[in-house]
């Protein structure tokens, strides 16, 4: 179902796998690939005509940074779970993926559902830039607020509430 007013739905990149990994790795036919690129903008138009807002991000990682991340995953047993069965075979097809990206952007970057490219070699900055961009896309107005005052605490039944906790097990404060 479509989201209700105020709801947010996040699709990960798998929505566009047909235009990328499925095409490059041969998991779909040429007809399925071409159909996706043709039908996708129409579907997104249907969503936006129904009142939805689509904000699409392409996280652009440089060849050098991708190699560095893969090497870190290969070397660190704690990161190896991040390597999918497609990652290593895909690495050798960098230019095929780049061409597929270019074609996907050409076919699906529309006025009603534009792509926003994010340089993401620095993950932290990329996340912050995306959050700021999303917030900029959401129309909002300042809400009037009533002035709130914190009431005085009643001293009725007062006691040393911290003394009652002496000797209890607290979680170590590491941070």
């Amino acid at each position: 179902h479509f989201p209700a007013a105020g709801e947010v739905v996040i699709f990960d990149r798998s929505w566009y796998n047909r235009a990328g990994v499925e095409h490059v790795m041969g998991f779909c036919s040429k007809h399925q690939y071409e159909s996706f690129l043709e039908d996708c903008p129409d579907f997104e138009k249907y969503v936006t005509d129904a009142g939805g807002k689509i904000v699409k991000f392409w996280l652009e990682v440089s060849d050098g940074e991708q190699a560095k991340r893969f090497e870190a995953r290969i070397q660190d047993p704690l990161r190896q779970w991040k390597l999918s069965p497609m990652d290593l075979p895909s690495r050798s097809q960098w230019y095929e993926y780049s061409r597929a990206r270019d074609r996907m952007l050409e076919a699906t970057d529309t006025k009603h559902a534009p792509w926003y490219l994010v340089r993401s070699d620095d993950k932290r900055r990329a996340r912050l830039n995306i959050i700021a961009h999303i917030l900029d896309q959401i129309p909002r107005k300042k809400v009037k607020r009533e002035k709130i005052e914190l009431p005085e605490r009643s001293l009725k039944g007062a006691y040393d509430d911290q003394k009652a906790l002496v000797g209890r097990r607290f979680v170590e404060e590491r941070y």
Side-chain angles (χ1 to χ4, degrees), residues 45-171:
K45 181 85 168 101
Y46 176 72
V47 171
T48 57
D49 285 351
K53 181 157 184 62
I54 298 175
V55 183
K56 301 184 295 193
F57 295 101
W58 178 266
L59 280 67
E60 183 64 22
V61 179
S62 70
D63 182 37
E65 180 62 21
Q66 186 192 60
K68 189 172 108 179
R69 290 178 188 175
F70 278 0
E71 282 297 329
R73 291 172 186 171
I74 290 167
Q75 299 303 321
D76 183 351
L78 297 177
R79 290 186 185 179
Q80 283 182 0
W81 67 270
K82 290 183 172 185
L83 285 172
S84 78
M86 294 289 28
D87 285 339
L88 296 178
S90 297
R91 175 75 183 135
S92 65
Q93 295 181 297
W94 176 266
Y95 294 111
E96 288 85 350
Y97 273 101
S98 295
R99 282 195 235 357
R101 174 208 56 207
D102 296 345
R103 177 92 192 279
M104 180 197 68
L105 292 173
E106 184 65 33
T108 64
D109 185 17
T110 61
K111 186 175 182 177
H112 58 273
W115 279 100
Y116 295 96
L117 280 64
V118 181
R119 295 200 185 281
S120 57
D121 281 2
D122 183 327
K123 290 181 184 183
R124 182 177 178 274
R125 288 175 199 252
R127 287 181 188 121
L128 292 172
N129 287 328
I130 288 170
I131 290 167
H133 184 84
I134 289 171
L135 292 174
D136 288 344
Q137 301 301 303
I138 301 168
R140 58 191 182 277
K141 58 185 175 190
K142 192 167 182 119
V143 176
K144 290 184 182 181
R145 301 176 189 264
E146 293 181 28
K147 185 174 178 170
I148 300 173
E149 291 187 28
L150 186 66
E152 293 292 323
R153 180 180 293 150
S154 168
L155 296 177
K156 183 178 178 181
Y159 74 107
D160 187 348
D161 61 328
Q162 292 303 299
K163 186 177 179 182
L165 300 178
V166 171
R168 297 286 179 190
R169 291 179 206 89
F170 280 88
V171 170

